[in-house]
Amino acid sequence: MKGYTAALPSGEAIHYVDRKRWLWLLSVTYPLQPFVAIWLHWLTGNETWLLLPIAINYGLGPAVDWALGEDRNNPPEEVALQLDQDRYYRWLTYSAVPLHYVTLIGSAWYVGTQNLSLFGMLSLAIVAGMTAGLAINTGHELGHKNSRIEKLLAKIVLAVPAYGHFTIDHNRGHHRNVATPGDPASARMGESIYRFALREIPGAFFEAWAIETERLTRRDRPAWHPNNQILQSFALTAVIALGLIVAFGWIMIPLLLIHHVMAWWQLTSANYVEHYGLLRQTDAHGKVERCEPHHSWNSNHIFSNLVLFHLERHSDHHAHPLRRYQSLRHFDSAPQLPNGYFGVYLLAYVPWLWYRVMDKRLLALPHIQGNLDKINVDPDARAAIFLRYGRDKMVAPTLG
Amino acid sequence: MSEYRCPECGYTYDEALGDEFEGYPSGTPFAALPDDFTCPSCAVRHKEDFEKVNKL
């Protein structure tokens, strides 16, 4: 298998082999999972099979993550550059793009032509939409790169879940403001995922729009201009929708609405668990500290990482936003989630359970050690949190 | 005209070229960029973090 050789600072040579090289095909093919459900319905006529991906992701997924455990593969920093430059890995992300389209169009075709009941239609819409959350993940990997082809492919793949504003907001909004109270994509302690969603979904869009229109203004262009990167991707979303409606009828409208919202919900879920409660400190001059490894929650579980292009190695991603998925490194010392994303999403969907598990994990982090001033606390939950976890005196609430 | 590089991702702002996509015309000095200027490529380094490239 292909290896990379580098010299350590001591002068000693190391040789690293990426044993996950071929396993990354899982991230490429996982978006096709609705076809397994479709095939089983086709064979049996039983519409319950259409929900199979939900059982796989949220039933089997956390169990496999727990059983297979953590990933022992961790590329040394010295080979990260070579690994990053190996073009094989970026070809995998390119090839995922058409597959996201195949899943959307295939699912739409099935709903449009197979006379499913309402239950059947809803099931496939939900499952296809959940799967389209992976398109946002593919778009995340592509959109962080500077090559023209990758920037273009990001816009193309983000059109599938109708999330064309992602690259702008994520790269220039979230990465800049991560783990501060003002970031719509960083969750606060005491904020349930449901309240977070009400802030994150519109917040991300309006922030992206403001950032992009500011750029266009610098170029003496109006917001509604062909160069608007957000509108380019949404235009493609509109073309896809129109094409599907013409091909398969008005049933495509509820299908696409459900599909898109389910995809957005996947991103909301990821954003929620990635920085919950973590806070970058502000100095006396109002300057916010640089994003450090302890400002992200991570998971090193091998199965879920292999279907998510290493998304869960989040601290390294924030340290090196342009670093490619294959080179992302794990740090034992960074905050760890108790399971991969599939498992922790389930926790998040039951807020009292989430708080029970995660709040004490948050408070126990070495850089926090129970100090609520080091935590991004939801203002509406502040009083209750102080009563439960605070020390002798209540600190005056600060605006978040 | 000088160049200024982001120490994290290598994005380089060349004063002579500006950055057309970002809306900074050629010849715009680095000092004239907004105070809250953040690396357009990685967004994790700010104006004060950029390093002037020494051209020998």
Side-chain angles (χ1 to χ4, degrees):
Chain A
M1 206 188 276
K2 174 129 186 227
Y4 311 92
T5 307
L8 291 173
S10 61
E12 184 194 335
I14 44 162
H15 184 74
Y16 182 77
V17 171
D18 179 14
R19 290 185 299 179
K20 305 204 301 276
R21 187 180 177 86
W22 297 107
L23 292 174
W24 286 116
L25 284 161
L26 278 170
S27 279
V28 179
T29 55
Y30 211 66
L32 296 172
Q33 63 181 289
F35 289 106
V36 176
I38 285 171
W39 175 64
L40 286 166
H41 171 259
W42 180 274
L43 280 182
T44 65
N46 187 342
E47 285 180 338
T48 311
W49 282 117
L50 293 170
L51 293 172
L52 181 68
I54 296 179
I56 291 175
N57 289 337
Y58 296 105
L60 210 55
V64 172
D65 261 341
W66 175 78
L68 290 181
E70 304 225 349
D71 185 357
R72 304 262 162 261
N73 301 288
N74 205 13
E77 188 64 35
E78 290 79 10
V79 302
L81 185 61
Q82 288 177 64
L83 190 50
D84 224 57
Q85 289 172 340
D86 188 336
R87 297 190 95 85
Y88 158 77
Y89 294 96
R90 70 188 73 175
W91 278 102
L92 291 188
T93 55
Y94 300 173
S95 52
V97 175
L99 298 184
H100 292 294
Y101 275 82
V102 164
T103 298
L104 171 60
I105 294 168
S107 304
W109 164 78
Y110 206 71
V111 166
T113 59
Q114 300 305 306
N115 281 321
L116 299 173
S117 72
L118 179 64
F119 170 83
M121 187 285 260
L122 288 175
S123 298
L124 191 46
I126 288 169
V127 157
M130 198 178 74
T131 306
L134 296 171
I136 302 180
N137 189 39
T138 302
H140 171 253
E141 180 65 29
L142 290 163
H144 264 297
K145 309 302 176 292
N146 284 334
S147 70
R148 288 180 63 130
I149 179 75
E150 284 167 301
K151 285 255 177 269
L152 177 63
L153 286 173
K155 286 183 278 196
I156 290 172
V157 80
L158 288 166
V160 167
Y163 217 77
H165 58 290
F166 179 75
T167 303
I168 305 286
D169 181 65
H170 179 81
N171 289 14
R172 300 175 181 230
H174 175 65
H175 271 270
R176 184 177 172 164
N177 301 323
V178 62
T180 65
D183 178 25
S186 292
R188 303 162 180 167
M189 183 185 189
E191 182 180 43
S192 76
I193 191 172
Y194 305 107
R195 280 207 299 124
F196 172 69
L198 293 176
R199 185 166 66 86
E200 182 241 5
I201 293 175
F205 180 79
F206 290 117
E207 186 176 65
W209 190 257
I211 292 169
E212 182 63 351
T213 51
E214 194 183 308
R215 183 185 71 83
L216 287 163
T217 301
R218 283 199 297 266
R219 299 190 71 173
D220 288 322
R221 290 170 169 179
W224 288 81
H225 188 278
N227 188 241
N228 184 319
Q229 305 293 298
I230 299 171
L231 291 178
Q232 286 176 7
S233 186
F234 275 106
L236 188 49
T237 296
V239 165
I240 296 164
L242 202 61
L244 290 176
I245 292 166
V246 164
F248 303 124
W250 297 114
I251 191 75
M252 292 294 108
I253 294 179
L255 169 73
L256 287 170
L257 285 171
I258 294 168
H259 174 274
H260 295 335
V261 171
M262 285 308 302
W264 303 351
W265 180 250
Q266 291 299 301
L267 174 66
T268 298
S269 303
N271 278 333
Y272 184 74
V273 307
E274 282 164 352
H275 302 283
Y276 176 78
L278 300 171
L279 181 68
R280 286 154 67 200
Q281 299 297 298
T282 305
D283 70 13
H285 307 286
K287 191 171 147 130
V288 182
E289 70 173 315
R290 190 169 285 177
C291 185
E292 299 288 349
H294 57 260
H295 295 127
S296 301
W297 289 101
N298 298 263
S299 168
N300 197 29
H301 290 82
I302 191 167
F303 167 68
S304 49
N305 265 305
L306 279 172
V307 302
L308 291 173
F309 284 125
H310 251 165
L311 182 63
E312 304 171 0
R313 284 190 169 178
H314 212 59
S315 289
D316 202 30
H317 171 64
H318 271 275
H320 307 291
L322 272 69
R323 180 169 284 182
R324 293 174 181 276
Y325 66 95
Q326 68 272 19
S327 321
L328 288 170
R329 307 186 65 235
H330 165 68
F331 298 97
D332 274 327
S333 56
Q336 300 297 319
L337 293 163
N339 195 267
Y341 279 15
F342 300 121
V344 298
Y345 287 3
L346 287 177
L347 273 184
Y349 298 160
V350 185
W352 69 263
L353 193 57
W354 171 265
Y355 300 141
R356 224 176 115 102
V357 171
M358 288 305 295
D359 284 357
K360 64 173 190 286
R361 204 170 265 245
L362 176 61
L363 287 159
L365 289 174
H367 75 284
I368 289 176
Q369 292 184 59
N371 184 353
L372 287 161
D373 293 333
K374 303 257 174 116
I375 293 178
N376 184 7
V377 180
D378 181 42
D380 292 339
R382 192 173 196 91
I385 284 172
F386 264 89
L387 278 169
R388 178 179 279 163
Y389 301 117
R391 290 165 295 186
D392 306 277
K393 60 175 173 43
M394 265 262 278
V395 173
T398 50
L399 274 171
Chain B
M1 296 247 97
S2 305
E3 290 178 14
Y4 294 81
R5 178 170 298 144
C6 170
E8 165 52 34
C9 71
Y11 165 84
T12 303
Y13 180 77
D14 183 339
E15 289 178 323
L17 301 174
D19 188 325
E20 189 190 342
F21 183 79
E22 293 299 321
Y24 302 116
S26 61
T28 306
F30 186 75
L33 297 179
D35 289 337
D36 62 354
F37 176 82
T38 307
C39 176
S41 176
C42 70
V44 294
R45 293 294 179 271
H46 304 281
K47 191 176 179 186
E48 61 268 23
D49 301 315
F50 272 61
E51 294 160 350
K52 190 167 175 180
V53 175
N54 288 319
K55 286 185 275 198
L56 297 164

